[in-house]
């Protein structure tokens, strides 16, 4: 993969984890409590944070969400790795300056 594609994938992953961690669940709640909803309305909804939807026999809907804490944990891992890489680059620059 090229560096541009890697960076694009990295940015998409960050966006996805941020959306899972901080995104709204209001559309999922609308879906759960609406009696009459059509396909077009559902297509417009932001259900990114929903991992599973089941319609039960009684006509009720069960909605499972992705784990926000896991998404926050991944964001923390990414931030730590980024800081570590930044520090390593900083130390390498210092070493290069001292060896001149």
């Amino acid at each position: 993969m090229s560096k541009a594609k890697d960076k694009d994938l990295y940015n998409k992953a960050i966006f996805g984890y941020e959306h899972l961690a901080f995104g709204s669940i209001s559309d999922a709640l609308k879906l759960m409590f609406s009696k009459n909803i059509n396909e077009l309305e559902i297509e417009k909804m932001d259900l990114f944070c929903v991992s599973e939807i089941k319609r039960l026999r009684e006509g009720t809907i069960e909605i499972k969400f992705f784990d926000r804490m896991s998404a926050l944990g991944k964001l923390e891992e990414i931030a730590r790795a980024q800081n570590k890489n930044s520090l390593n680059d900083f130390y390498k620059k210092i070493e290069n300056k001292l060896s001149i």
Side-chain angles (χ1 to χ4, degrees):
M1 257 191 207
S2 70
K3 284 191 177 197
K5 284 185 180 179
D6 287 345
K7 183 77 171 164
D8 184 49
L9 183 59
Y10 174 81
N11 288 334
K12 285 179 181 178
I14 295 288
F15 175 78
Y17 284 126
E18 286 175 345
H19 199 140
L20 289 175
F22 306 113
S24 172
I25 63 165
S26 62
D27 282 345
L29 293 175
K30 282 182 204 172
L31 177 63
M32 189 165 60
F33 292 111
S34 293
K35 301 231 190 259
N36 298 323
I37 194 162
N38 63 42
E39 265 186 58
L40 186 60
E41 289 173 304
I42 292 172
E43 286 180 17
K44 291 179 183 179
M45 290 181 164
D46 177 8
L47 300 173
F48 189 83
C49 59
V50 173
S51 66
E52 187 177 334
I53 298 175
K54 286 183 185 177
R55 182 171 297 275
L56 304 176
R57 285 184 220 143
E58 307 86 43
T60 58
I61 295 177
E62 179 182 300
I63 297 177
K64 292 184 182 179
F65 296 93
F66 286 105
D67 184 359
R68 288 181 185 262
M69 294 306 291
S70 293
L72 285 170
K74 287 292 185 183
L75 287 170
E76 181 185 23
E77 283 178 34
I78 292 168
R80 286 181 190 268
Q82 198 173 31
N83 288 339
K84 186 176 180 181
N85 288 339
S86 295
L87 281 175
N88 287 340
D89 290 345
F90 176 71
Y91 289 133
K92 284 178 186 175
K93 287 178 184 176
I94 292 174
E95 285 176 357
N96 289 338
K97 293 285 185 187
L98 293 175
S99 65
I100 293 178

